[in-house]
Amino acid sequence: MSGLPWHQHLILLPVVLPLLVGALLIPVNESRHRIKYAVNLGSTLALLACALALFCLTDGGHWPGGIGVYLAANWSAPFGIALMADRLAALMLLLTAVLALAVLIFSMERWSRIGVHFHSLFQFLLMGLNGAFLTNDLFNLFVFFEVMLAASYGLVLHGYNVTRIRAGMQYITVNLVASFLFLIGVALIYATTGTLNMSDLGARVAGLDDAALTLLKIGAGVLALAFLTKGAMWPLGFWLPTTYAAASPPVAAMLVLMTKVGAYAVLRIWLLAFSGEAGGGAGFGFAALTWGGLVTLAFGTVGMLASQEPGRMAGYGAIISSGTLLAVIGYGQLSLVTAGLFYLLGSTLAMAAFMLLIELIERIRTPGAAMLALTMEAFAIDEKPEEPVGVGIPAALAFLGLAFAGCALVITGLPPLSGFIAKFGLFHALLNPENGAVGATAWALMALVILSGLSGIIALMRFGVRTFWASGAVLPPRLQISEVAPVSLLLLICVGLTVQAGPVMSYLGRVSDDLHQPARYAERVLGEPTVPAAAGGDR
Amino acid sequence: MEAAVAIAIGILFGSGIWLILRPRTFQVITGLLLMSYAVNLFIFVMGRLWIDKAPLTLAPGTPDPADYADPLSQALVLTAIVIGFATTALYLVMMIGARGLSGTDHVDGEESDE
């Protein structure tokens, strides 16, 4: 502990804390549910506090360039594993913690009790996510991806039934194959550059000869396949809607964030290794990302229109948002990345809220009620349940309707919520390119974004009308505070993003500004001094 | 030697790809295993193929890296083996669960019509 200021250890905390808590919770018997839940909640709150602290530290000028580096085991980079917290990492940590908190509160009454080891798996999932955001080492990134995936395999199966097993089987197979591709990519990159440190990689790409560069590009391409499978780019994303629709709602809400991890990894590595300063490797793969993103957008748009179940609809919504993000990353323009990050925040929060909301809405149409309605039609019984006379819309139903409308507004990008501002920002950046002319790609992207919004409106409106207006007598469902609060929290954050759009945008501007200066990362990470051994220390 | 190793990896990986496209879960898991062997070998080979080189040891003086085999790819392959083993074991559990619940070992959880 000697020599290192306390706030330096905060970089490691988001990884170590969930690991310890998750491990400690395993031997505790499931009958002590309250203790397990309380510990899990405490840990998640601590992670939120830690993410907030890192957020302030990276943006507050405590570290040069806003980049904090933690050298694991005191090995200097690039030889040891370096963890790095910059503005983007801090932002993603904060998003993870907020989402985790909402999901955990939501699962208090029901979902955390329907299977075993929910709390441990949840903590391990957080560990994997946080680690993937913080690490600056390619192989370490693989390890954290596996931690995250292994936990998600367990969570997708949480509440074991045939649908989940069937979907889980395909989910696991696809992700195992993607992991192999990840390893091949990492091995090729190591073989050509001799380094696994991402910042060091960025510095070394410029000095490679042609043969090595070709191999590196193959390696990076294979690596991207693995990321894009997680990020659900067409044609790698067919697993997604089925898995999302089958998983239990809290888990599906966390899965929404996991698709964003793929996009995050692409953003991070591509801007470090193949940006303008990369010599012969500059610009590799950006066009492919843009076009892949566009096709993904189109696929999501069509899928959204075709789906009837809300779970699948949300899955295609996630594909649309991935497609938009990938196209934005591939477009390679600083101001566009800023708007893309704003879009990422809003769409992740709204999509997660929608996932949670679906389960509450489903209670209106319980199988029993649907069956009753059907029999009544078949036998032409015209004795209807009594209409509530003189009573306004019940509060529970009003909440569901409002929350649904809120989610729909953000997801489709209609004013006045944050989805609109994000899309406005995207269009503004596309129409004001740095080099003057607006290219065909920009027009295609704008057209597809508008079309996907339209298809989202049609699909969600159809679902909303069928559920709330056309389903005949609707009994107000029983909602718990712990189920209403997280959905409201997520939507309120979306409202907050809208109200505070100015400061948020300028912060995101700083984030993307950082990302576009890969040399700074190399300087900070490789220049981080090790802690000198204390005199008379225990060596 | 490089050609022989490359062909061996290629055969392993190719067989793996063919097997994971088969409809039975047992074939899929065998395919996954073959692919993981191929990938592990691939990582190992990425530290270059050497014969008669000592592992990196703490000899006195400054060692010349050219005299030693690359230790990092060996460390990577160990990690990859452990993780691959664990995830494959998990898949095996899933497989048994799916067989028990759906009564078939087809990957879709139901027999196709053919």
Side-chain angles (χ1 to χ4, degrees):
Chain A
M1 288 295 249
S2 65
L4 213 53
W6 65 272
H7 63 258
Q8 204 77 12
H9 289 283
L10 280 180
I11 303 177
L12 194 62
L13 196 67
V15 179
V16 172
L17 182 70
L19 172 67
L20 291 179
V21 171
L24 277 177
L25 283 175
I26 292 178
V28 180
N29 196 298
E30 290 293 330
S31 59
R32 305 194 173 174
H33 176 262
R34 286 194 176 281
I35 298 178
K36 289 188 111 167
Y37 185 83
V39 174
N40 193 354
L41 189 65
S43 162
T44 310
L45 283 172
L47 286 178
L48 182 62
C50 181
L52 271 174
L54 280 175
F55 187 83
C56 298
L57 282 172
T58 48
D59 202 35
H62 287 264
W63 286 309
I67 301 169
V69 182
Y70 189 93
L71 301 174
N74 205 20
W75 281 41
S76 64
F79 302 110
I81 291 168
L83 296 175
M84 179 196 69
D86 63 341
R87 289 194 180 93
L88 179 62
L91 181 72
M92 297 305 285
L93 284 180
L94 194 60
L95 185 64
T96 311
V98 168
L99 211 56
L101 187 65
V103 165
L104 197 59
I105 296 175
F106 185 86
S107 55
M108 177 162 82
E109 290 298 332
R110 187 160 164 221
W111 290 102
S112 62
R113 302 183 183 203
I114 60 168
V116 290
H117 295 309
F118 174 82
H119 299 292
S120 298
L121 288 170
F122 191 79
Q123 286 293 317
F124 290 144
L125 181 69
L126 289 184
M127 174 199 168
L129 283 166
N130 289 344
F133 292 137
L134 282 172
T135 186
N136 196 34
D137 183 278
L138 271 180
F139 198 80
N140 198 224
L141 182 68
F142 166 74
V143 174
F144 282 125
F145 259 70
E146 287 304 307
V147 171
M148 173 181 92
L149 288 171
S152 80
Y153 300 155
L155 284 173
V156 164
L157 295 175
H158 182 69
Y160 222 57
N161 63 24
V162 180
T163 334
R164 282 182 194 145
I165 287 241
R166 208 177 282 168
M169 187 97 114
Q170 288 154 11
Y171 174 68
I172 296 180
T173 313
V174 167
N175 277 299
L176 282 179
V177 175
S179 301
F180 295 145
L181 292 179
F182 195 142
L183 281 174
I184 291 180
V186 169
L188 267 173
I189 289 178
Y190 173 64
T192 48
T193 61
T195 187
L196 287 169
N197 184 296
M198 293 184 206
S199 305
D200 192 27
L201 174 70
R204 285 190 188 209
V205 171
L208 291 178
D209 59 28
D210 279 348
L213 203 60
T214 313
L215 266 182
L216 176 80
K217 283 179 180 174
I218 296 174
V222 175
L223 191 64
L225 279 183
F227 293 148
L228 295 175
T229 307
K230 269 93 182 172
M233 185 174 100
W234 187 88
L236 306 166
F238 291 120
W239 57 271
L240 189 141
T242 318
T243 312
Y244 276 34
S248 55
V251 177
M254 288 310 283
L255 285 178
V256 171
L257 188 61
M258 284 178 57
T259 53
K260 302 297 184 288
V261 180
Y264 166 87
V266 170
L267 180 66
R268 168 78 81 203
I269 291 173
W270 246 253
L271 288 183
L272 274 178
F274 299 110
S275 63
E277 300 161 30
F284 167 70
F286 281 94
L289 275 178
T290 312
W291 286 105
L294 290 179
V295 179
T296 314
L297 249 176
F299 172 66
T301 305
V302 175
M304 187 89 167
L305 275 180
S307 46
Q308 303 282 335
E309 280 172 63
R312 293 188 77 83
M313 228 180 264
Y316 282 109
I319 289 183
I320 289 179
S321 105
S322 276
T324 314
L325 269 177
L326 291 173
V328 162
I329 295 169
Y331 202 76
Q333 182 186 325
L334 202 147
S335 54
L336 197 58
V337 171
T338 312
L341 287 172
F342 193 88
Y343 177 79
L344 181 148
L345 290 182
S347 76
T348 309
L349 291 170
M351 207 68 82
F354 187 59
M355 285 289 183
L356 299 179
L357 196 64
I358 288 170
E359 201 257 334
L360 303 181
I361 291 177
E362 291 285 304
R363 288 186 200 171
I364 299 181
R365 351 186 266 177
T366 50
M371 189 68 83
L372 187 67
L374 204 70
T375 3
M376 285 189 342
E377 256 169 48
F379 293 99
I381 301 172
D382 74 6
E383 189 181 355
K384 285 192 177 163
E386 279 176 39
E387 298 278 329
V389 182
V391 183
I393 309 173
L397 214 54
F399 167 77
L400 286 184
L402 276 177
F404 177 75
C407 286
L409 286 181
V410 180
I411 292 173
T412 57
L414 288 181
L417 288 183
S418 66
F420 175 69
I421 297 183
K423 284 195 177 168
F424 188 83
L426 286 179
F427 289 178
H428 181 75
L430 282 170
L431 289 172
N432 294 290
E434 281 146 10
N435 52 9
V438 183
T441 333
W443 291 113
L445 179 55
M446 282 189 281
L448 276 171
V449 167
I450 292 176
L451 266 182
S452 70
L454 180 67
S455 96
I457 294 170
I458 295 174
L460 288 171
M461 222 156 79
R462 189 174 56 192
F463 174 71
V465 166
R466 269 188 204 158
T467 312
F468 292 109
W469 292 345
S471 60
V474 171
L475 286 176
R478 285 191 49 194
L479 303 182
Q480 315 266 5
I481 290 280
S482 68
E483 290 166 336
V484 172
V487 178
S488 319
L489 171 75
L490 292 177
L491 285 174
L492 279 178
I493 296 176
C494 284
V495 174
L497 280 178
T498 319
V499 177
Q500 291 295 319
V504 174
M505 271 293 194
S506 73
Y507 174 78
L508 293 176
R510 293 197 290 280
V511 172
S512 62
D513 208 37
D514 281 353
L515 286 174
H516 287 79
Q517 301 178 32
R520 279 231 320 252
Y521 286 91
E523 186 188 315
R524 276 290 291 130
V525 174
L526 300 180
E528 180 75 10
T530 53
V531 181
D538 50 353
R539 286 204 65 180
Chain B
M1 187 166 62
E2 276 84 357
V5 174
I7 291 170
I9 293 175
I11 291 174
L12 275 177
F13 206 82
S15 323
I17 290 177
W18 188 74
L19 277 170
I20 60 164
L21 298 176
R22 303 295 300 159
R24 304 278 154 207
T25 47
F26 181 74
Q27 292 166 320
V28 173
I29 199 169
T30 319
L32 287 172
L33 280 173
L34 287 183
M35 281 169 83
S36 78
Y37 297 152
V39 168
N40 290 339
L41 271 175
F42 184 81
I43 299 174
F44 187 69
V45 168
M46 281 301 118
R48 307 292 186 275
L49 286 170
W50 304 108
I51 290 179
D52 276 352
K53 286 224 175 175
L56 193 60
T57 42
L58 288 173
T62 311
D64 178 13
D67 291 342
Y68 298 97
D70 186 346
L72 193 64
S73 60
Q74 301 175 13
L76 297 186
V77 81
L78 266 180
T79 319
I81 289 172
V82 172
I83 291 179
F85 180 71
T87 44
T88 315
L90 188 79
Y91 188 78
L92 202 61
V93 175
M94 275 288 302
M95 217 175 101
I96 296 168
R99 175 76 178 79
L101 273 183
S102 65
T104 163
D105 64 346
H106 196 278
V107 285
D108 290 336
E110 57 195 30
E111 291 296 328
S112 56
D113 294 334
E114 293 162 38

